Structure formats: C-alpha cells, structure tokens
Amino acid sequence: MSTELIKTEEVANIVTSFPAIMAKNSKSLESCTNAGKTILDTIEAEGMNEQIDQSVAEYLGKVSTLISNMQARRQPITQLFDRIRSFFTSQEKSIDSKIQGTIPALLVAKRNEYAALKHRQEQERKREAERLANIERERVYYQSQIEEAVSRSFNTYLTSRLSELASIFTSMSLATYGRDTNRILLFSTEYPKSQFDALSSVQTSPTYYLTPEAKRTISTSVLSGKYEQLAATFTSRVKEAKQNYSDQFVSKQRELEEIEELRKTNEQAALQAEQDRIKREQEQAAASAAEVQRNQEVERQRIATQEKTQTMQSLFATAAATVSAPPANAKIKEKIKVLHTAGFLEVYQMWWTGEGQSLTIEELEKIHKKMITYCEKQANSKDPQHISSTFIRYDEEIKAK
C-alpha cells in the first residue's frame, strides 16, 4: 500500500470529527442502556406478559438500528485505522519468511532444499557404510567357516591315517611280523593333493551379501599356501608315528615271542599278556589321536578368536561410519501424511491415549466443536438423528423469535 492512499487532509478531517462522533455515540449508548434498564426493572417487579414482551421486542429492534447508526458514524474513523494498520502489516508481510512467494520465504525454501539434500546424502552414506559393514562381517564369518572346515577335514584324514598305522602295529603277530613291519616302513607320509583339492568344495552356510566372485576370492585366499602347510604337518606327524613304531619293532618281536613261549606252558597267562599288550598299544594310539584332536581344538579356538577380533573391528568401524553429528543448519522433524481416511482414526486413537483422555470436558468441547456442531445439526434436521448413549445428553435451547 502506498502512503499516497492515506491523504493528510483526510486524516485531519476524520480526527477533527472524532470528538463529536464519540460524544454522540456515547450519548446514544447511555440513552439505550437507561431505556433497557427501565424495561428490565419492570420485568423484575411485575414479571413478563404479552405487553412487556412486545415492548422488549420493539426495544431490541431499536437497539439493532442504533448499533447500525453507531457503526455508520464510527466507520470513517475505524476504516482509516484499518487502512493505516493494513499499510504497515502489508509491508511486514512482504518480507515475512512464513508467507509464500516472498523473497525471504524463497530463501528459506532454498535452505530447506539444501538441508534435505545434505540429509539424503548422509542417509545414503550411512546405508552404504552399513552395507559394507554387513559384507565385511559376512566375509569374516565365511572365511572362518572355510578355515574351520579345512582344519576339521584335514584332522579327520590325519586321524584316520594314524589309526590305520596304529592298527597295523597293534594287529601285528609273529606270523605277520615281516609283512607288517614292511607295511609300516613303506607307509606313505605324503598328504594327497587330491584330498586337499576336495576342500575347495566344502559346505558353508548360505550368504546374503557376498557375491559368488567374492566367495571365490575368499576361498582362494584361505587355501593359498595351505596345502604346503598341511602337507608338512601331515608328513611330520606320520613320520613321527612311523619312527615311534619302528623303534618298538625289536621289543615288539621279543614280546610276541615271549607270549608264544608262555602260551606253551600257560595259556591263560599268555592270553592275559596278549590283552595287556593290545590295551597298551591301543592307549598309545588313543593318545596320538587325542593329540590330533587337541591340535584341532587349538586351531578351532584360534579361528574363533580371529573371527571375534575381526568382527569387533568391523563393528567399531561401522559405528564410526554410521554415527554423525547432527548438522548445525538443519532441524529434522517427522510430519504425518495420512494416506487413507482410516488413518485419521489411528491418529485420533494415539492422541486420545496420550493426551485427550486426560483433558477436561470443557477443553474437549473446544477441540471437538466442529464435530459437536455437526451432530447438533443432525438432531435439529427434518429427519432428526440422535446419539443413543449414557455419556451424552441432549438439552433444549429455547430462543424468542
């Protein structure tokens, strides 16, 4: 609004007329009030009757006319002040950031767009960090599974070969002595490459984040150089067992001969000696197998510890990547967007549970004014509809026409 629309002469004339208008309206008000009090006093003294009711109706008609006249007299003054107020408020609104279309509002919108962009980028960064963390955790778990499966398979095979060697030694007799000592001396100490190659197809749990290519890479990494390491262990353990048995060849032969000699004179004693020998040799074999199992358990614990360590490192890395300080130039609030009319009932239910049920009836009447008005219209329609409830009462409101 331009200041030219409010002319100085107009303001001066209206301000000059203000005392007279105020005095006239005040006098009219006084006369109207006195006349009304006189009628009210009469009603209180004599009660209502048709004549007084007619007088009241005429009085109220004159009051309406007086109000119109008073409004007409003061309108130039109030309209002037309205125009003056409008002038200032229009200036304020033109730079109000809350009003759409103003330059400050456009700038606020740009800031909000930028803040939303930064928020989306941060969320994407966190999602990507979580995705990579999931891959890393699964990589650690998958690697541990392969390492444990390889260790278990190798130790199972090593145990079976040592048991086979022990069986040859334990079952050796004087009749088979030459053949069995030869079998022990010629017993292979080589870990078969074919046995190791079969480990590349070990069964593992399903994966959700690792690609087939990533799994192949992990498997290759775990198995790389593993054959040479396992082969060396296998050869060392079998050689050690063979040497142990070879060292007992002479004493074994002597013991078998002694048992045979004893058998000629005391069958029962020879049988007992034979049983003692077998038990002793079986205990030696069991001790050897137990050592393999202990080594396997040590390896299992090493793999488990390694997995825990790498998993914890992954978790720390994830936490560091996903936790970020809130942006200083953005305030994030969630706003409800109701997608279906049924959603309003759910909104109302949450409001009622959290706040509504603790409010007074007066407060609830203000909040539900529109709904109450609708129900009252239904009750006063040509086809009245009422709510039948012990919590609601319909009261009649009677007004004179």
Side-chain angles (χ1 to χ4, degrees):
M1 175 185 288
S2 172
T3 54
E4 295 177 358
L5 297 179
I6 304 176
K7 297 181 180 179
T8 306
E9 309 86 60
E10 182 183 6
V11 174
N13 291 336
I14 290 175
V15 171
T16 302
S17 64
F18 174 72
I21 294 172
M22 185 175 66
K24 191 169 185 178
N25 278 3
S26 298
K27 186 177 180 181
S28 298
L29 175 63
E30 185 179 359
S31 298
C32 178
T33 302
N34 291 335
K37 287 180 67 177
T38 300
I39 297 173
L40 190 59
D41 291 341
T42 301
I43 293 171
E44 290 176 350
E46 302 177 10
M48 286 291 290
N49 54 47
E50 289 296 325
Q51 183 180 354
I52 294 177
D53 184 63
Q54 181 62 36
S55 298
V56 173
E58 291 175 357
Y59 171 76
L60 293 175
K62 291 178 181 178
V63 169
S64 296
T65 302
L66 177 60
I67 291 174
S68 297
N69 292 336
M70 291 174 70
Q71 288 176 342
R73 286 195 292 268
R74 59 85 176 161
Q75 269 184 352
I77 297 173
T78 54
Q79 285 178 353
L80 174 63
F81 286 121
D82 287 342
R83 286 160 60 196
I84 293 172
R85 183 178 63 252
S86 178
F87 168 74
F88 288 114
T89 56
S90 65
Q91 284 185 325
E92 293 159 6
K93 288 178 181 178
S94 68
I95 55 171
D96 191 342
S97 63
K98 299 182 186 65
I99 297 177
Q100 190 174 359
T102 64
I103 291 177
L106 295 175
L107 292 173
V108 168
K110 293 297 182 184
R111 290 196 74 217
N112 290 343
E113 289 172 6
Y114 179 68
L117 173 63
K118 297 293 287 182
H119 179 64
R120 285 195 303 272
Q121 290 174 339
E122 176 62 17
Q123 294 303 108
E124 289 171 4
R125 186 191 66 78
K126 289 170 67 175
R127 281 193 295 270
E128 177 63 13
E130 289 172 358
R131 186 186 71 84
L132 294 176
N134 288 332
I135 292 175
E136 177 59 18
R137 280 194 292 272
E138 195 167 74
R139 183 198 66 78
V140 170
Y141 178 63
Y142 183 72
Q143 177 179 315
S144 297
Q145 281 192 309
I146 294 178
E147 290 181 344
E148 190 170 341
V150 168
S151 174
R152 185 169 55 249
S153 176
F154 170 76
N155 283 291
T156 298
Y157 182 73
L158 174 60
T159 300
S160 70
R161 295 294 285 166
L162 291 176
S163 296
E164 184 180 348
L165 196 57
S167 178
I168 296 172
F169 184 78
T170 303
S171 63
M172 185 186 297
S173 65
L174 281 176
T176 64
Y177 179 81
R179 184 193 66 189
D180 288 341
T181 53
N182 234 13
R183 288 176 65 191
I184 291 174
L185 293 172
L186 297 175
F187 196 89
S188 176
T189 61
E190 182 182 349
Y191 178 48
K193 186 68 165 61
S194 58
Q195 180 71 23
F196 176 80
D197 291 340
L199 299 178
S200 61
S201 59
V202 293
Q203 294 297 315
T204 59
S205 300
T207 57
Y208 303 96
Y209 300 100
L210 292 176
T211 64
E213 179 61 31
K215 291 167 71 173
R216 282 193 294 272
T217 300
I218 294 170
S219 180
T220 300
S221 174
V222 171
L223 298 177
S224 177
K226 201 73 173 177
Y227 173 73
E228 290 75 14
Q229 176 187 340
L230 295 178
T233 300
F234 183 87
T235 299
S236 173
R237 290 306 309 277
V238 175
K239 276 185 176 180
E240 182 183 348
K242 286 177 62 176
Q243 185 62 49
N244 180 50
Y245 293 132
S246 298
D247 291 344
Q248 298 179 63
F249 283 168
V250 175
S251 60
K252 171 95 175 191
Q253 183 180 20
R254 186 183 309 116
E255 185 177 19
L256 290 173
E257 289 173 346
E258 289 174 353
I259 292 173
E260 285 302 313
E261 283 297 318
L262 182 60
R263 199 184 309 278
K264 295 175 182 178
T265 58
N266 191 335
E267 180 68 27
Q268 186 65 34
L271 180 61
Q272 183 62 50
E274 180 69 14
Q275 289 175 346
D276 291 343
R277 179 189 66 77
I278 292 174
K279 181 180 178 182
R280 184 182 68 251
E281 291 174 356
Q282 286 177 340
E283 287 176 350
Q284 291 176 354
S288 179
E291 185 179 354
V292 174
Q293 293 300 315
R294 283 195 299 272
N295 291 337
Q296 181 179 345
E297 179 60 21
V298 169
E299 178 65 8
R300 190 194 66 77
Q301 291 181 0
R302 182 195 68 78
I303 293 170
T305 301
Q306 175 182 279
E307 180 185 354
K308 286 181 182 178
T309 302
Q310 292 180 344
T311 300
M312 289 302 297
Q313 290 173 345
S314 173
L315 289 173
F316 287 138
T318 302
T322 55
V323 174
S324 58
N329 62 339
K331 181 171 65 175
I332 301 171
K333 291 169 106 179
E334 293 190 52
K335 306 290 285 185
I336 288 179
K337 177 68 175 177
V338 180
L339 306 176
H340 190 275
T341 51
F344 288 102
L345 293 176
E346 294 170 342
V347 170
Y348 187 85
Q349 183 180 18
M350 183 181 220
W351 171 81
W352 179 258
T353 303
E355 181 181 52
Q357 63 181 347
S358 62
L359 299 178
T360 64
I361 290 180
E362 291 75 16
E363 290 172 322
L364 290 171
E365 282 179 344
K366 291 179 182 178
I367 295 171
H368 296 82
K369 180 64 178 174
K370 190 170 184 179
M371 288 171 272
I372 293 173
T373 300
Y374 171 81
C375 294
E376 288 174 345
K377 285 182 179 178
Q378 298 306 306
N380 295 291
S381 64
K382 292 180 180 179
D383 183 19
Q385 296 181 32
H386 293 80
I387 300 172
S388 179
S389 171
T390 56
F391 304 113
I392 293 175
R393 184 183 73 208
Y394 286 85
D395 292 333
E396 291 184 337
E397 182 184 66
I398 303 173
K399 293 183 179 180
K401 292 183 179 179

